[in-house]
Amino acid sequence: MKIGFIGCGNMAGAMIGGILRKKLVAPDQIIATAKTRNSIERAKKEYSIGVTPDNREAASFADVLVLAVKPVYMEEVLDEIADALKPDSIVVSLAPGKTLDWFAKKLGPDRKIVRTMPNTPALVGEGMTAICPNGNLSEEDIQLVENIFQSFGKTEITAESMIDVVTGISGSSPAYVFLFIEAMADAAVLKGMPRKQAYVFASQAVLGSAKMVLETGKHPGELKDMVCSPAGTTIEAVKVLEEKGFRGAVMDAVSACVDKGRGI
Ligand SMILES: NC(=O)C1=CN([C@@H]2O[C@H](COP(=O)(O)OP(=O)(O)OC[C@H]3O[C@@H](n4cnc5c(N)ncnc54)[C@H](OP(=O)(O)O)[C@@H]3O)[C@@H](O)[C@H]2O)C=CC1
Ligand SMILES: O=C(O)[C@@H]1CCC=N1
C-alpha cells in the first residue's frame, strides 16, 4: 500500500510519525508534498520518506491519498490533482467544513472519499480519529483506512453529522488540554517547583485521569468524588473552579469550536 500526503504540516507530520513508528509501511511507501523549500527539507530529514513539491506526483503514486492542507487551499489542490489520481484510489480528507458531497462534486460521484477528524496525539500512538466513508468504499477499503488510523491510535466510524462535534471534543481538544497542563504547571512554578518537574507532574496526572475514565468505566463525577476528602485540599480547588465557571467555559469553548467547523 502506498500512502500520499498533500501537505506535510502539523497533522500530516503527526500521522507520518505514528505510521513509521508502528512500521505500518516502509518509508519508501510514503510520499508527502509541501509548498516551501523549508518544509520539504524538514520532512525529508525528519522522516526519510519521499518528499516533493509536485502534488500530481503524489496523487499518481498513492493508493490512499490524504489531503492534509488547510480547508482554504482544498479547492485549488483538488483542481490540480483531480485528473492525476489513480482510478481506484481512496481520497482521505482531514479538513473541517468540507463535506463528502462537496468532494464528490469536485472529484466525481464514483470516487472513494473519506472524511476524517484525527488529532495530533497520533504522533505518540495515542490519536483519536473519526472516520466517515462515502458509499463508494467496500468493507475492505474501510478496513484499510481504519488500519492506517489505528496504527497511531483509536478510531470510531461516525455519521458525517457528528464530525464537527468530533472536531470540538477531540480534533481540537489537545490544545485545550495543553493550556490546562501549562496553567497547572505555572501554578506549581509559582509555588516554587522547577518547571520541568511541574510538567511531569501535571501531564502524568492528566494521562492517568484519562486512563481511569477509559479503563474503570466509572462516571467522571464518581472519580472526582474519590479525590475530594471531606474538608480536604481538593474540594477547595474544585470550589474555586466552580466559582470561576470552569465547566461552563469548557462547554462554551467546545461549542464555539463546533460552530466554527459547521461554518467553514
Ligand atoms: N493540526 C491539528 O491538530 C489538526 C489539523 N486538522 C486538519 O488537518 C489539515 C492540515 O492542518 P495542519 O497540519 O495543522 O496545517 P499546517 O499548516 O501545519 O500544514 C499544512 C501543510 O500544507 C502545505 N500546503 C499548503 N498549501 C499547499 C499546496 N497548495 N500544495 C501542497 N501543500 C500545501 C503546507 O506547506 P508549507 O509548510 O510548505 O507551507 C503545510 O505543509 C487542516 O485541514 C486541519 O484543519 C485536523 C485535525 C487536527
Ligand atoms: O484548528 C483547526 O482548524 C484544526 C482542526 C482540528 C484541529 N485543528
Side-chain angles (χ1 to χ4, degrees):
M1 174 183 43
K2 293 175 177 168
I3 309 175
F5 288 85
I6 304 292
C8 193
N10 291 311
M11 195 57 240
M15 290 176 63
I16 293 166
I19 289 168
L20 293 176
R21 201 166 169 259
K22 219 27 202 302
K23 297 188 166 55
L24 182 75
V25 296
D28 65 1
Q29 299 301 294
I30 302 179
I31 194 169
T33 71
K35 219 161 170 153
T36 57
R37 176 174 286 274
N38 245 358
S39 296
I40 292 170
E41 292 310 321
R42 185 167 32 81
K44 271 187 192 160
K45 209 168 136 200
E46 209 163 318
Y47 310 115
S48 306
I49 56 172
V51 190
T52 167
D54 184 352
N55 290 335
R56 291 175 63 82
E57 184 186 340
S60 60
F61 170 90
D63 302 307
V64 177
L65 186 71
V66 180
L67 304 174
V69 295
K70 298 286 185 194
V72 67
Y73 300 122
M74 196 61 88
E75 188 156 16
E76 69 176 65
V77 163
L78 292 186
D79 288 342
E80 188 186 349
I81 64 168
D83 65 351
L85 288 165
K86 281 189 178 174
D88 203 37
S89 68
I90 301 172
V91 175
V92 176
S93 166
L94 314 179
K98 297 287 178 225
T99 64
L100 289 171
D101 265 1
W102 185 85
F103 281 104
K105 282 199 183 94
K106 301 293 299 180
L107 297 176
D110 298 329
R111 174 63 59 185
K112 295 172 179 174
I113 301 161
V114 186
R115 250 188 105 177
T116 68
M117 183 46 62
N119 63 11
T120 53
L123 185 62
V124 292
E126 293 292 348
M128 181 72 226
T129 306
I131 296 178
C132 305
N134 77 353
N136 297 327
L137 281 88
S138 65
E139 283 304 317
E140 209 175 59
D141 293 329
I142 296 171
Q143 191 59 60
L144 181 75
V145 174
E146 285 186 302
N147 287 347
I148 293 175
F149 284 89
Q150 283 171 4
S151 75
F152 47 75
K154 295 184 179 167
T155 62
E156 291 271 336
I157 304 278
T158 58
E160 192 175 16
S161 58
M162 277 299 111
I163 200 124
D164 299 307
V165 181
V166 173
T167 308
I169 196 172
S170 167
S172 296
S173 69
Y176 335 146
V177 175
F178 296 136
L179 273 182
F180 181 53
I181 289 173
E182 191 183 16
M184 285 201 292
D186 278 347
V189 169
L190 187 68
K191 298 292 182 189
M193 183 180 277
R195 181 162 289 278
K196 215 171 151 193
Q197 200 174 31
Y199 286 137
V200 174
F201 276 104
S203 312
Q204 181 62 29
V206 169
L207 178 70
S209 307
K211 229 172 161 184
M212 279 177 85
V213 175
L214 290 171
E215 291 183 8
T216 65
K218 287 190 194 297
H219 189 287
E222 190 182 346
L223 296 172
K224 181 262 292 170
D225 289 352
M226 283 163 58
V227 193
C228 295
S229 315
T233 56
T234 314
I235 199 68
E236 293 288 340
V238 169
K239 179 169 172 281
V240 173
L241 288 173
E242 296 291 12
E243 281 168 358
K244 304 251 178 197
F246 181 67
R247 289 186 211 225
V250 173
M251 288 178 71
D252 284 352
V254 173
S255 295
C257 183
V258 174
D259 292 347
K260 176 70 180 179
R262 288 189 171 148
I264 286 176

